[in-house]
Amino acid sequence: MNENETYNPPPEFNDIPAEERNNQSAYNGVDPAPLSPNDENDNEPQYGLTFKWVNLLIGAAIVFWLSSGGNSFFTDDWSFYLSLAIVVIIHELGHVIAGRSFGCVIREMQVFFLPFISYRPKQIIEGNSWRNITWKLGVLPLGGATVFRSRKQDFLDNVYGMETQSPEMVMTPANSPYIEDKPAWQRLLISAAGVLFNIATFLILYIAMPFLSEASSDFLWPLLSLSLILAILNSLPVYPLDGGNIVFALYEIIVGRKPSEGFTKVCGCIGFFIIVLFFWVFPDLLDNLLRGIFRSLF
């Protein structure tokens, strides 16, 4: 899953002339602050590891409660969560690599939700660098997220202008670090990259399985099956899943304009409700669907 794809700049930002938006001395002469993950929370250290023990305890209690309650998507087999984490990392790296290839700046990559540990790089480098990414690990094994740099978040963080541009340089989609400035076809590929990485992982393991030993096959089977499951689930046309972002990008390509921010918010609320229903309330429905797909393949 990738975030910040359909945000539009806030009205206050649109009222500022384009020349001033591209000038580092805009907004009444206030110098732009360098982009840093620290802008999100001044109480966190500037760099290094951060632990949130409360999130860890709460998340562990939720997972234990769901696994003991017979929820088919949660188990007391911790090797399952390790395999799922590897598959989610592969998925999110697809978004990160595709985004960086188009010039987007990635703010953070998160594996699982309700993060309890994060790593902030010690040295922040201007521009599109891996050292600008904050890495987070959560407790709830329900996927991950890649957060791209966006105009809206910069506006909220009081980060005005770009540290990678000179005052006279005009921002274009090619040199902009913001994902919403990129053409719709590029944002479509960024959204699809995570699914494509999972499909590639599945195909590689599927082809290699007959040539592996029994011990290796037993070890890699969870990676194979989870790669396919994650690809299927994220392909569903439900926002904020990747399938929903792909639908929005296709809409923009066909119609020529982005969906309104209000519409995307409504779709996000509906999508979240659907996800909760499938994973928490009626997990057996999705479980039966996935089992049917696996029976047809294997």
Side-chain angles (χ1 to χ4, degrees):
M1 182 190 301
N2 53 311
E3 298 181 358
N4 296 330
E5 288 206 5
T6 55
Y7 287 140
N8 295 314
E12 298 87 347
F13 192 87
N14 291 326
D15 293 338
I16 299 174
E19 295 182 358
E20 293 188 11
R21 290 204 303 265
N22 293 320
N23 192 315
Q24 288 187 337
S25 59
Y27 293 90
N28 300 324
V30 178
D31 292 333
L35 179 65
S36 169
N38 299 318
D39 297 328
E40 300 174 1
N41 191 339
D42 294 336
N43 295 324
E44 295 188 4
Q46 293 185 354
Y47 59 85
L49 291 173
T50 301
F51 295 92
K52 294 183 178 179
W53 300 108
V54 174
N55 287 0
L56 177 60
L57 295 175
I58 294 175
I62 293 175
V63 172
F64 177 79
W65 173 62
L66 290 173
S67 61
S68 61
N71 190 302
S72 57
F73 283 96
F74 295 87
T75 175
D76 55 3
D77 182 6
W78 295 103
S79 63
F80 166 82
Y81 297 117
L82 177 60
S83 298
L84 181 59
I86 295 174
V87 173
V88 171
I89 290 173
I90 294 173
H91 179 95
E92 299 304 331
L93 282 177
H95 294 312
V96 171
I97 293 173
R100 293 185 75 252
S101 67
F102 292 125
C104 298
V105 172
I106 290 85
R107 294 174 64 97
E108 66 180 50
M109 192 186 93
Q110 179 174 316
V111 178
F112 297 166
F113 296 106
L114 196 62
F116 73 95
I117 183 173
S118 63
Y119 174 73
R120 296 173 181 269
K122 182 175 182 180
Q123 183 178 0
I124 303 297
I125 298 178
E126 294 182 354
N128 192 353
S129 171
W130 287 91
R131 294 190 180 183
N132 289 341
I133 303 176
T134 298
W135 309 90
K136 294 184 177 182
L137 176 63
V139 189
L140 296 180
L142 295 174
T146 298
V147 181
F148 292 87
R149 183 176 177 184
S150 67
R151 291 183 182 275
K152 181 175 182 178
Q153 191 60 52
D154 274 9
F155 185 86
L156 296 176
D157 290 343
N158 294 322
V159 181
Y160 305 125
M162 291 177 55
E163 68 273 19
T164 57
Q165 287 189 313
S166 60
E168 65 274 7
M169 183 180 294
V170 177
M171 187 184 299
T172 64
N175 64 26
S176 172
Y178 300 123
I179 189 169
E180 63 265 44
D181 288 351
K182 303 302 178 182
W185 68 270
Q186 291 185 2
R187 286 184 277 111
L188 186 151
L189 292 178
I190 293 172
S191 297
V195 172
L196 294 177
F197 268 52
N198 286 143
I199 292 176
T201 303
F202 166 78
L203 292 176
I204 292 172
L205 295 177
Y206 184 80
I207 295 173
M209 277 295 178
F211 306 98
L212 299 176
S213 65
E214 183 177 354
S216 299
S217 298
D218 292 340
F219 175 76
L220 293 175
W221 173 257
L223 297 179
L224 180 149
S225 58
L226 288 172
S227 294
L228 181 59
I229 291 174
L230 201 63
I232 293 173
L233 294 181
N234 274 280
S235 298
L236 297 175
V238 177
Y239 184 78
L241 296 179
D242 295 330
N245 283 309
I246 292 173
V247 170
F248 285 156
L250 289 173
Y251 172 86
E252 183 178 347
I253 292 173
I254 296 173
V255 179
R257 65 176 184 273
K258 295 181 180 180
S260 66
E261 185 175 1
F263 178 75
T264 59
K265 287 182 178 180
V266 172
C267 290
C269 293
I270 296 175
F272 179 78
F273 179 73
I274 293 175
I275 292 172
V276 170
L277 282 180
F278 271 115
F279 283 94
W280 296 69
V281 182
F282 304 113
D284 291 338
L285 295 177
L286 191 57
D287 186 50
N288 292 334
L289 173 63
L290 294 174
R291 290 181 184 275
I293 295 174
F294 271 82
R295 280 195 297 268
S296 64
L297 292 175
F298 304 101

